[in-house]
Amino acid sequence: MNRQLKFFEAIREATDQAMERDPAVYIVGLGVPDPKGIFGTTLGLQEKYGTTRVQDMPLSENAMTGVALGSALVGMRPIITHQRVDFALVAMEQMVNQAAKWHYMFGGKAKVPMVVRMIIGRGWGQGPQHSQSLQAWFAHIPGLKVVMPTTAHDAKGLLAAAIEDNNPVVFIEHRWLHNISDEVPEEYYTVPLGSARVMREGNDVTIVGTSYMALEAVRAAERLRADDVSAEVIDLRTIRPWDVETVLGSVRKTGRLVVTDTASAAFGVSAEIVATVLECEFASMKTAPVRIALPDHPCPTSPALSNHYYPRADHIVRGVQRMMGIEPTTDMPAMTPHQKLDVPDPSFKGPF
Amino acid sequence: MNRQLKFFEAIREATDQAMERDPAVYIVGLGVPDPKGIFGTTLGLQEKYGTTRVQDMPLSENAMTGVALGSALVGMRPIITHQRVDFALVAMEQMVNQAAKWHYMFGGKAKVPMVVRMIIGRGWGQGPQHSQSLQAWFAHIPGLKVVMPTTAHDAKGLLAAAIEDNNPVVFIEHRWLHNISDEVPEEYYTVPLGSARVMREGNDVTIVGTSYMALEAVRAAERLRADDVSAEVIDLRTIRPWDVETVLGSVRKTGRLVVTDTASAAFGVSAEIVATVLECEFASMKTAPVRIALPDHPCPTSPALSNHYYPRADHIVRGVQRMMGIEPTTDMPAMTPHQKLDVPDPSFKGPF
Amino acid sequence: MPQLFDSQLHFKLYKEMLRIRIVENSIAEHYGEQEMRCPVHLSIGQEAAEAGACAALERRDYVLSGHRSHGHYLAKGGNLKAMMAEIYGKATGCAGGKGGSMHLVDIDAGFLGAAPIVGSTIPIAAGVAFASQMRDEDRVVMVFLGDGATETGVFYESVNFAALKNLPIVFLVENNFYSVYSPMDVRQKGDHRIIDIARAHGVEAHQADGNDLDLVYQISSKAVNKARAGGGPSLLEFITYRWREHCGHGYDNDIGYRTEAEFLSWKERDPVAAYERKLIARGLATQHEMDLMANELKQEAEEAIAYAKQGPWPELDTLSSQVYAN
Amino acid sequence: MPQLFDSQLHFKLYKEMLRIRIVENSIAEHYGEQEMRCPVHLSIGQEAAEAGACAALERRDYVLSGHRSHGHYLAKGGNLKAMMAEIYGKATGCAGGKGGSMHLVDIDAGFLGAAPIVGSTIPIAAGVAFASQMRDEDRVVMVFLGDGATETGVFYESVNFAALKNLPIVFLVENNFYSVYSPMDVRQKGDHRIIDIARAHGVEAHQADGNDLDLVYQISSKAVNKARAGGGPSLLEFITYRWREHCGHGYDNDIGYRTEAEFLSWKERDPVAAYERKLIARGLATQHEMDLMANELKQEAEEAIAYAKQGPWPELDTLSSQVYAN
Ligand SMILES: Cc1ncc(C[n+]2csc(CCOP(=O)(O)OP(=O)(O)O)c2C)c(N)n1
Ligand SMILES: Cc1ncc(C[n+]2csc(CCOP(=O)(O)OP(=O)(O)O)c2C)c(N)n1
Ligand SMILES: [Mg+2]
Ligand SMILES: [Mg+2]
């Protein structure tokens, strides 16, 4: 069929189809039914499903997370949305002490099928409080699942799977992916949680990426062909549980590992991937592993600074070159604020 | 002088001396002036410093964290206490979006000298919501510092240093350390944040431990002598910033790394230590690294289960033996609930 | 709702209240054996509020609670043996030993769960009520909380949401004057009344003597009936007193946060003794009948403890199971 | 507090209000150039509440704010050039470019900081007031928040704490009916009034027309004086209206969350025009004087923009500095 859909449309379609299939599914969040519809992902749903199944809410993220949880206990399947990961920080108690633990701590008597959508802001001066990437926090908590789709296809299938799942699933969307298109089947389908996607096969180095950084990894792999390096790119897709087997299998083949993540390297998801691979495949490794992720400080607002805050394909290329003892073929492009690196592509205009 | 002091007394002494030296220091927290005095750590302070500098508070941890922050902005030096890490989950927004970022995001114009004391519960059925160990969360956040003392000596010196520090410092106390004694000088002193302590020197393997697990590591090192293994034990003491140089130096010598932490291994502090060491010292490593930390599920309440939840010296010994290809000399003691492994020593009685 | 001046009802209310007293006393007696290896928060002294409020509910209604939940669990019809076994950490416990005293659950009885992070189950209860409303079910939710819990932000957020949506929920506050050892005056302004705050949100609210079993039952019944009829949420604040230490089985009037005299004045207002006097005065029960019942209940409690003690420990393979639901 | 019916005061108030209008208009005019590369939340339409409230403060007093803070920063005496440079992301900005529009600060002027996580600066402000009280200083703290922020748990927790401690703080609510595009009726029950909730906590509270500059000033002055005299906290709710889109520089009455008619009815209640009519009617200023002032202010705003544009970018080494204070 070759139907192209944008990532945000794929999210909407998955929600729509899930709501159609199961009357227990409902969606609640600040601005869900508003004219912007969470970056377009919820547009039209209230018209179709009414004001009970598609709801706005008070500015009370912690209580509303509890409300979603409570409704899930008795059979509803809530989706709760946060326009920034940062806003969800007020809801950590409900997410971590409660949602993650009710199944275990009641000996299996309770279950909490809920999806918590969170968006990672980036660019256009989102700054220190609108751009955090806290997947490592959620991944550290047994009882939660954590999903970070990269492609529109996976966004649809993973969201459908998250909604079908009988556990609390944190579904993290990177703002710079919302307008990226790819082929998305019209019919309902799921992509199983916990399986990675090999985006590109290769033999010399394994690059594991999360979310938007998986795209930068693909770009890096293309550039590395000039150095005769064949890079395998793995989009992790699910952070918890993550697809250990696919990653280990790749590393057994390549003997080299680069991990690139949208969050800080320090105590982040990339550390866990590196640690697990080195514990399990030390003998296969030809070189030290490399992490390409955010530096260890908050995100500044000025484009002159934030443009240098985010790693890009170049950094990945450099990492691989260093690891393989290759003299850099390309100079890292000097960056100036005039390059407008704080927007993903010309279709994206500030302020949001 | 050889004065012996318990860890909880050392905490109290550091607080007392800091309050005496600096009128800007005050302490607030649920139960701070009550008859139990936060496991004895605040006993007598209100009598000495009055009801303004030693305060109880409403059951409002999020706002009170903001209150501490606000007072710090204008020159106070608050200490806020939480009797469990788990309770502090309601305060993540203030800790992470605010306290950690005000210095950076205002271009250095603001500073937030505050200490947030949190206690990790363990044993006597603390269960899923009273025993979490979330140092990895705080360590992932630039702008915070994270301290986990193991000895009474360090508890005093690190708390004094944390209070002197001009940044938000998360100070995590393990409940099973409160009654452990060692030599503690009477006079005021600080132990610099960011420096590890080599608790035992050795040549064959480096065991890095945090908090209570550093003690288990010392026990393991003693047992390993029977296998002719000389283990170096490093008590990390500060988790952020951590003492990379001391750890790398040790690994350069031993070529082997075990990391043991009080939290889940998955996406935890132990992953960061392993990842950094492998990135920096891949060539020095003789074997794959090993993590000995909590399994990837919540803490159960029944002693029959929780006794098997927590790793102990045996697990560390086993890890080293496996790593070095040594046949186990000792059998892992079979555990039954009757062993009362849910209490640290006979002086410790439930329920708290 | 059964008729109030029906002698059977009186006896039923009395029995529910007495049962909590007797079970809690049994726990207190055995706790020193150090076989119940988890924190327990006894509600001796507060039984009238717990029994009276739950008696207003139907079995299909739901209850959620916090750290001090034994009484709510029992009053809602939770299985006693499963509760004891849970406190003893046994496989036969209501949560398979994973929860302990602070995490009781009995889905069949409509006791959806208790959790000890103060304030946390309040929005969860609102969510259950929200689901009930969305599905047009005929169920009411009651959530128990203490005076301390009314200081948590999530409590206010939940009250606002319940008012906004007109949810079928009753916020049931047992005000026992203390949050652990912290008295009111370090936590709330002198003239602060939680019912005023609820009313300001447009939530009907009443404050009453929580040691008066009939009164608690009457007020709770009205609130429950109103909620069931689509009349929306209520907040009920019952004034009462915890006799034993905050956590554990002993007394702690000697440690300094409250006086022995205060405790004794509340002991004189013992809800159980008061109701016994009332039943006798009104000729609704004889001392003999009440003694018989007490004996029966004591036996039931001791049987539950014996059941708990002899129950098997959870299998080791349950340690890492039930992390995720299928 | 200067005398209210002093013509200089009227003119000062007017100037502060007009200054906000003109600066915000200048930002709106230039925003389309896409050189201010950060979200901006303009407060055009709400200037009377902002100027009138801040005029009640002394310079040594403190203000904190949220995402929509330009007006508060200016009214408290924050440096205009440093604000513009901050919005342009320049090294000369008040936060060295690290903060942007949502993180203004001017310590010297007593504008301690703004942060856009809704509700978050409320307890921080309470903490500043707490410090002021602990040190027996003669300072008052004013924290600005919106109607949406009154739904956050931390707001209630802060009000409770302020009441408990009798803190020298004024909670200043600008109620503009919307939280982004969400109207009141999806967030709060119909008869819900935030002043009732504050009063239930024992906090004096008043609701008034936020577009009436003199009234705002009068009410705010009383609250500030009361706080300074040790009389404790107040909550003031000023009803007003945001003209422009929630975030950004355009108008958004067409997208469907509010009507053009509603907007126009509020535009008729323009606080600036109303005050100009009043000044003229009372003979306190002439049109000519006001025009002169507007021109001056416009020039000042454009100079600030020019200053911001030509300022240097932050040095790259500041990217990773200032993470920790020494
Ligand atoms: C968020 C949180 N903070 C602190 C605690 C510790 N704690 C346990 S019970 C309790 C007191 C609660 O008081 P109240 O709500 O009045 O209930 P009561 O114990 O009087 O029944 C506290 C502070 C907790 N469990 N959760
Ligand atoms: C905790 C949190 N949730 C959501 C948001 C997104 N957000 C930014 S401004 C805003 C609306 C705030 O409304 P109000 O307090 O009335 O202020 P106004 O914008 O009307 O001035 C929201 C929801 C946020 N910044 N923080
Ligand atoms: Mg209480
Ligand atoms: Mg508003």
Side-chain angles (χ1 to χ4, degrees):
Chain A
M1 282 268 324
N2 278 356
R3 185 186 60 145
Q4 295 284 312
L5 218 56
K6 290 190 169 174
F7 185 109
F8 84 87
E9 295 165 323
I11 297 279
R12 186 174 60 206
E13 190 164 276
T15 310
D16 185 3
Q17 292 179 350
M19 291 185 77
E20 196 145 276
R21 293 163 64 93
D22 185 349
V25 177
Y26 73 99
I27 177 163
V28 61
L30 286 174
V32 159
D34 82 19
K36 299 281 174 82
I38 317 290
F39 308 110
T41 61
T42 58
L43 284 177
L45 295 176
Q46 194 175 53
E47 290 70 12
K48 186 161 174 193
Y49 296 102
T51 52
T52 298
R53 292 184 65 198
V54 183
Q55 300 214 11
D56 210 317
M57 68 180 210
L59 220 167
S60 310
E61 286 95 343
N62 195 22
M64 294 307 301
T65 303
V67 164
L69 194 178
S71 73
L73 286 179
V74 291
M76 302 299 289
R77 305 189 83 86
I79 305 169
I80 178 165
T81 64
H82 301 288
Q83 301 208 20
R84 290 288 177 276
V85 174
D86 317 66
F87 306 161
L89 278 171
V90 295
M92 285 306 107
E93 200 287 311
Q94 286 293 326
M95 303 266 318
V96 171
N97 284 338
Q98 312 303 336
K101 297 187 174 53
W102 276 53
H103 185 64
Y104 185 85
M105 83 189 182
F106 291 119
K109 299 260 168 76
K111 75 186 181 202
V112 183
M114 69 189 267
V115 176
V116 185
R117 287 180 52 202
M118 299 185 192
I119 292 159
I120 302 172
R122 175 166 166 178
W124 198 271
Q126 294 295 304
Q129 297 186 334
H130 277 59
S131 61
Q132 286 168 94
S133 213
L134 295 174
Q135 54 269 27
W137 276 31
F138 303 113
H140 189 44
I141 305 299
L144 298 180
K145 296 188 179 183
V146 184
V147 178
M148 293 183 87
T150 304
T151 65
H153 174 276
D154 291 345
K156 179 174 171 181
L158 287 167
L159 182 55
I163 297 169
E164 281 189 12
D165 199 277
N166 279 326
N167 299 283
V169 181
V170 178
F171 189 90
I172 301 180
E173 303 160 32
H174 194 287
R175 185 71 192 92
W176 281 21
L177 295 174
H178 274 133
N179 287 300
I180 301 223
S181 303
D182 64 86
E183 199 182 320
V184 177
E186 283 185 40
E187 69 276 9
Y188 179 84
Y189 62 94
T190 60
V191 170
L193 305 188
S195 77
R197 172 200 274 274
V198 178
M199 297 191 89
R200 210 173 178 298
E201 295 197 8
N203 297 309
D204 298 326
V205 57
T206 300
I207 311 179
V208 177
T210 63
S211 182
Y212 178 75
M213 290 313 288
L215 291 190
E216 293 282 352
V218 170
R219 276 175 214 144
E222 270 151 32
R223 301 251 291 277
L224 282 164
R225 294 171 62 174
D227 293 318
D228 268 336
V229 173
S230 149
E232 179 142 311
V233 177
I234 298 176
D235 173 9
L236 212 53
R237 299 201 293 197
T238 301
I239 311 297
R240 181 188 182 90
W242 62 284
D243 189 345
V244 180
E245 269 322 306
T246 296
V247 174
L248 294 185
S250 177
V251 170
R252 274 194 289 271
K253 175 173 65 174
T254 65
R256 295 187 187 85
L257 175 68
V258 173
V259 184
T260 181
D261 183 32
T262 63
S264 290
F267 301 90
V269 163
S270 56
E272 176 63 28
I273 312 299
V274 166
T276 300
V277 169
L278 271 290
E279 280 173 333
C280 301
E281 287 299 333
F282 181 75
S284 312
M285 297 300 289
K286 296 174 187 150
T287 62
V290 167
R291 289 182 276 174
I292 305 289
L294 295 184
D296 202 16
H297 58 77
C299 178
T301 299
S302 172
L305 296 175
S306 68
N307 288 347
H308 296 269
Y309 175 71
Y310 289 104
R312 297 185 316 286
D314 305 279
H315 298 81
I316 302 171
V317 169
R318 278 295 169 88
V320 173
Q321 287 170 336
R322 248 193 336 264
M323 167 182 263
M324 302 188 65
I326 297 168
E327 278 299 302
T329 43
T330 42
D331 270 350
M332 187 94 97
M335 265 166 294
T336 76
H338 309 289
Q339 276 186 272
K340 307 279 183 274
L341 291 169
D342 58 343
V343 288
D345 68 63
S347 74
F348 183 102
K349 282 233 163 64
F352 243 54
Chain B
M1 283 267 322
N2 278 356
R3 185 185 60 144
Q4 295 284 311
L5 218 58
K6 288 191 170 175
F7 185 109
F8 84 86
E9 295 166 322
I11 297 278
R12 186 174 60 204
E13 189 164 275
T15 311
D16 186 3
Q17 292 180 351
M19 291 185 76
E20 196 145 277
R21 294 163 64 93
D22 185 349
V25 177
Y26 73 98
I27 178 162
V28 62
L30 286 173
V32 159
D34 81 18
K36 298 282 176 83
I38 316 291
F39 308 111
T41 61
T42 58
L43 284 177
L45 295 175
Q46 194 176 52
E47 289 71 12
K48 184 160 176 192
Y49 297 102
T51 53
T52 298
R53 292 184 66 196
V54 182
Q55 300 215 10
D56 209 317
M57 67 179 211
L59 220 167
S60 308
E61 285 95 342
N62 195 21
M64 292 309 300
T65 303
V67 164
L69 194 178
S71 73
L73 285 178
V74 291
M76 301 299 289
R77 305 189 83 86
I79 305 168
I80 177 167
T81 63
H82 301 288
Q83 301 208 19
R84 289 288 178 277
V85 175
D86 317 67
F87 306 162
L89 277 170
V90 294
M92 286 305 109
E93 200 287 310
Q94 287 293 325
M95 302 268 317
V96 171
N97 284 338
Q98 312 303 338
K101 296 186 174 54
W102 275 53
H103 186 64
Y104 185 86
M105 83 190 181
F106 291 120
K109 297 260 169 77
K111 73 184 182 204
V112 183
M114 69 189 267
V115 176
V116 186
R117 286 180 52 201
M118 299 185 192
I119 292 160
I120 302 172
R122 174 167 166 178
W124 198 272
Q126 294 295 304
Q129 296 187 335
H130 277 59
S131 61
Q132 286 169 93
S133 212
L134 295 174
Q135 54 269 29
W137 275 32
F138 303 113
H140 189 44
I141 305 301
L144 298 179
K145 296 187 179 182
V146 185
V147 178
M148 294 182 88
T150 304
T151 65
H153 174 277
D154 290 347
K156 179 174 172 184
L158 286 167
L159 181 55
I163 296 170
E164 279 190 14
D165 200 276
N166 279 325
N167 299 283
V169 181
V170 178
F171 189 90
I172 302 180
E173 303 160 32
H174 194 287
R175 187 69 193 92
W176 280 22
L177 296 174
H178 274 134
N179 287 301
I180 301 224
S181 303
D182 64 87
E183 198 181 319
V184 178
E186 282 185 39
E187 69 276 10
Y188 180 85
Y189 63 93
T190 60
V191 170
L193 305 189
S195 78
R197 171 200 275 273
V198 179
M199 297 191 86
R200 208 174 180 297
E201 294 196 11
N203 297 310
D204 298 327
V205 58
T206 300
I207 310 179
V208 177
T210 63
S211 183
Y212 178 74
M213 290 312 289
L215 291 190
E216 294 280 353
V218 170
R219 275 175 214 146
E222 271 150 32
R223 301 252 290 277
L224 282 165
R225 293 169 64 174
D227 292 319
D228 268 334
V229 174
S230 149
E232 179 142 311
V233 177
I234 298 176
D235 173 9
L236 213 51
R237 300 201 293 196
T238 301
I239 310 298
R240 181 186 182 91
W242 62 284
D243 189 345
V244 180
E245 270 323 307
T246 296
V247 173
L248 294 185
S250 175
V251 169
R252 273 194 290 272
K253 176 172 66 175
T254 64
R256 296 187 186 86
L257 175 68
V258 174
V259 184
T260 181
D261 182 32
T262 63
S264 289
F267 301 90
V269 163
S270 55
E272 177 64 28
I273 311 300
V274 165
T276 300
V277 169
L278 271 291
E279 280 172 333
C280 301
E281 288 298 333
F282 180 76
S284 311
M285 298 299 290
K286 296 175 187 152
T287 60
V290 167
R291 289 182 277 175
I292 305 289
L294 295 184
D296 203 15
H297 58 78
C299 178
T301 299
S302 171
L305 295 175
S306 68
N307 288 346
H308 297 269
Y309 175 71
Y310 289 105
R312 296 186 316 286
D314 304 280
H315 298 81
I316 301 172
V317 168
R318 280 294 168 89
V320 173
Q321 287 171 336
R322 248 194 335 263
M323 167 183 263
M324 302 188 67
I326 297 169
E327 278 299 302
T329 44
T330 41
D331 269 351
M332 187 94 97
M335 265 166 294
T336 76
H338 308 290
Q339 277 185 272
K340 308 279 184 274
L341 292 168
D342 58 344
V343 287
D345 67 61
S347 73
F348 184 102
K349 282 233 163 63
F352 241 54
Chain C
M1 170 181 64
Q3 224 14 67
L4 181 64
F5 290 101
D6 171 322
S7 78
Q8 283 195 340
L9 169 65
H10 274 88
F11 212 66
K12 176 179 175 305
L13 283 172
Y14 170 64
K15 181 174 176 183
E16 288 299 337
M17 174 173 66
L18 185 63
R19 189 157 174 259
I20 299 173
R21 168 70 53 91
I22 284 174
V23 170
E24 293 283 67
N25 275 337
S26 291
I27 293 173
E29 278 161 35
H30 290 276
Y31 197 69
E33 297 164 2
Q34 306 226 2
E35 286 183 49
M36 307 182 203
R37 297 180 82 81
C38 64
V40 293
H41 301 80
L42 304 181
S43 65
I44 300 172
Q46 307 186 186
E47 302 91 342
E50 303 173 348
C54 285
L57 297 168
E58 308 286 340
R59 191 164 172 93
R60 71 180 181 285
D61 295 333
Y62 291 124
V63 164
L64 290 99
S65 177
H67 56 289
R68 196 178 306 286
S69 73
H70 300 172
H72 314 133
Y73 172 98
L74 291 174
K76 185 61 179 65
N79 183 302
L80 170 61
K81 285 185 170 161
M83 167 178 136
M84 282 297 189
E86 189 58 38
I87 299 175
Y88 276 86
K90 297 303 179 73
T92 41
C94 57
K98 281 184 169 151
S101 159
M102 303 195 292
H103 298 287
L104 300 180
V105 64
D106 188 335
I107 307 282
D108 291 340
F111 188 85
L112 276 187
I117 304 294
V118 176
S120 283
T121 49
I122 306 172
I124 297 173
V128 176
F130 188 42
S132 168
Q133 184 187 62
M134 283 193 276
R135 289 188 305 214
D136 219 350
E137 288 175 354
D138 186 29
R139 294 181 201 258
V140 176
V141 179
M142 185 176 281
V143 59
F144 284 89
L145 53 139
D147 47 290
T150 69
E151 293 150 16
T152 64
V154 80
F155 164 70
Y156 298 99
E157 292 183 349
S158 303
V159 168
N160 181 52
F161 183 71
L164 173 70
K165 297 289 177 181
N166 206 39
L167 296 182
I169 188 169
V170 178
F171 298 99
L172 205 134
V173 183
E174 290 174 78
N175 184 342
N176 62 9
F177 306 102
Y178 293 94
S179 166
V180 191
Y181 309 118
S182 304
M184 281 294 176
D185 66 359
V186 300
R187 303 183 286 119
Q188 301 177 9
K189 197 184 172 186
D191 52 2
H192 176 115
R193 292 199 318 166
I194 189 60
I195 55 168
D196 292 337
I197 293 170
R199 286 174 186 159
H201 277 97
V203 169
E204 184 172 335
H206 302 281
Q207 192 188 50
D209 178 359
N211 284 8
D212 182 336
L213 179 60
D214 285 335
L215 185 64
V216 169
Y217 174 70
Q218 269 178 301
I219 293 175
S220 303
S221 295
K222 271 195 201 148
V224 167
N225 292 343
K226 179 184 161 178
R228 200 183 308 285
S234 303
L235 181 144
L236 308 180
E237 178 186 2
F238 293 121
I239 310 295
T240 182
Y241 200 76
R242 150 175 69 73
W243 288 11
R244 304 262 177 159
E245 61 186 336
H246 165 71
C247 179
H249 70 302
Y251 289 93
D252 62 1
N253 305 315
D254 56 320
I255 68 174
Y257 74 103
R258 65 185 197 185
T259 62
E260 184 73 16
E262 180 182 287
F263 165 69
L264 289 175
S265 79
W266 277 95
K267 229 187 143 182
E268 260 168 41
R269 298 173 56 192
D270 178 359
V272 175
Y275 207 71
E276 288 175 351
R277 287 193 299 271
K278 187 168 175 176
L279 290 182
I280 291 183
R282 297 213 184 152
L284 293 166
T286 64
Q287 187 62 48
H288 180 67
E289 283 171 317
M290 295 191 301
D291 289 348
L292 271 182
M293 177 175 294
N295 282 338
E296 246 173 58
L297 291 171
K298 180 72 194 164
Q299 200 179 324
E300 185 199 28
E302 290 300 327
E303 273 168 18
I305 285 179
Y307 171 85
K309 286 188 177 191
Q310 87 203 9
W313 293 107
E315 294 292 331
L316 210 56
D317 63 9
T318 66
L319 176 59
S320 56
S321 69
Q322 298 164 330
V323 182
Y324 292 99
N326 293 329
Chain D
M1 169 182 64
Q3 226 8 69
L4 181 63
F5 290 102
D6 170 324
S7 78
Q8 283 193 340
L9 170 65
H10 274 89
F11 213 66
K12 177 180 174 304
L13 283 172
Y14 169 64
K15 182 173 175 184
E16 288 298 338
M17 173 173 67
L18 185 63
R19 189 155 173 261
I20 300 173
R21 169 69 52 92
I22 284 174
V23 170
E24 293 282 67
N25 274 337
S26 290
I27 292 173
E29 278 162 34
H30 290 276
Y31 197 70
E33 296 164 3
Q34 307 226 1
E35 287 183 48
M36 307 182 205
R37 297 179 83 81
C38 64
V40 293
H41 301 81
L42 304 180
S43 63
I44 300 172
Q46 307 186 186
E47 303 91 342
E50 302 173 349
C54 286
L57 296 169
E58 307 286 342
R59 189 162 173 94
R60 70 179 182 286
D61 294 334
Y62 291 124
V63 164
L64 289 99
S65 177
H67 57 288
R68 196 178 306 284
S69 73
H70 301 174
H72 314 133
Y73 172 97
L74 292 173
K76 186 62 179 65
N79 183 303
L80 170 61
K81 285 184 169 161
M83 166 177 137
M84 281 297 188
E86 189 59 38
I87 299 175
Y88 275 86
K90 296 304 180 71
T92 42
C94 57
K98 281 184 169 150
S101 159
M102 302 195 292
H103 297 286
L104 300 181
V105 65
D106 188 335
I107 306 283
D108 291 339
F111 188 85
L112 276 187
I117 304 294
V118 176
S120 283
T121 50
I122 305 172
I124 298 173
V128 176
F130 189 42
S132 168
Q133 184 187 62
M134 282 193 276
R135 290 188 304 212
D136 218 351
E137 287 175 355
D138 187 29
R139 295 181 200 257
V140 176
V141 179
M142 186 176 281
V143 59
F144 285 89
L145 54 140
D147 47 289
T150 68
E151 293 151 15
T152 63
V154 81
F155 164 70
Y156 298 98
E157 292 184 348
S158 303
V159 169
N160 180 53
F161 183 71
L164 172 69
K165 297 288 178 182
N166 205 39
L167 295 183
I169 188 169
V170 178
F171 298 99
L172 205 136
V173 183
E174 290 174 78
N175 184 342
N176 62 10
F177 306 102
Y178 293 93
S179 167
V180 191
Y181 309 118
S182 304
M184 281 295 178
D185 66 359
V186 299
R187 304 183 285 120
Q188 301 176 10
K189 196 182 173 188
D191 51 4
H192 175 114
R193 292 198 317 165
I194 187 62
I195 54 168
D196 292 337
I197 293 168
R199 286 174 186 161
H201 278 96
V203 169
E204 184 172 334
H206 302 281
Q207 192 187 53
D209 178 358
N211 283 8
D212 182 335
L213 180 59
D214 286 334
L215 186 64
V216 169
Y217 174 71
Q218 269 178 299
I219 292 175
S220 304
S221 295
K222 271 195 202 148
V224 167
N225 293 342
K226 179 182 161 180
R228 201 183 307 285
S234 302
L235 181 144
L236 308 180
E237 178 185 3
F238 292 121
I239 310 295
T240 183
Y241 200 77
R242 150 175 70 73
W243 288 12
R244 303 263 177 158
E245 60 187 336
H246 165 72
C247 179
H249 69 301
Y251 290 92
D252 63 0
N253 306 314
D254 56 318
I255 67 174
Y257 73 103
R258 64 187 197 183
T259 63
E260 184 72 17
E262 179 181 287
F263 165 68
L264 289 174
S265 78
W266 277 95
K267 228 185 144 184
E268 262 169 39
R269 298 174 56 192
D270 178 0
V272 174
Y275 207 71
E276 289 176 350
R277 287 194 299 271
K278 187 167 176 176
L279 289 182
I280 291 182
R282 298 215 183 151
L284 294 167
T286 65
Q287 186 62 49
H288 179 67
E289 284 170 317
M290 296 191 301
D291 289 349
L292 271 182
M293 178 176 294
N295 282 338
E296 247 173 55
L297 291 171
K298 180 73 194 163
Q299 201 178 324
E300 185 200 28
E302 289 300 328
E303 274 166 17
I305 285 178
Y307 169 85
K309 286 188 176 188
Q310 88 206 4
W313 293 108
E315 294 292 332
L316 210 56
D317 62 10
T318 67
L319 176 59
S320 57
S321 68
Q322 298 165 331
V323 182
Y324 292 97
N326 293 329

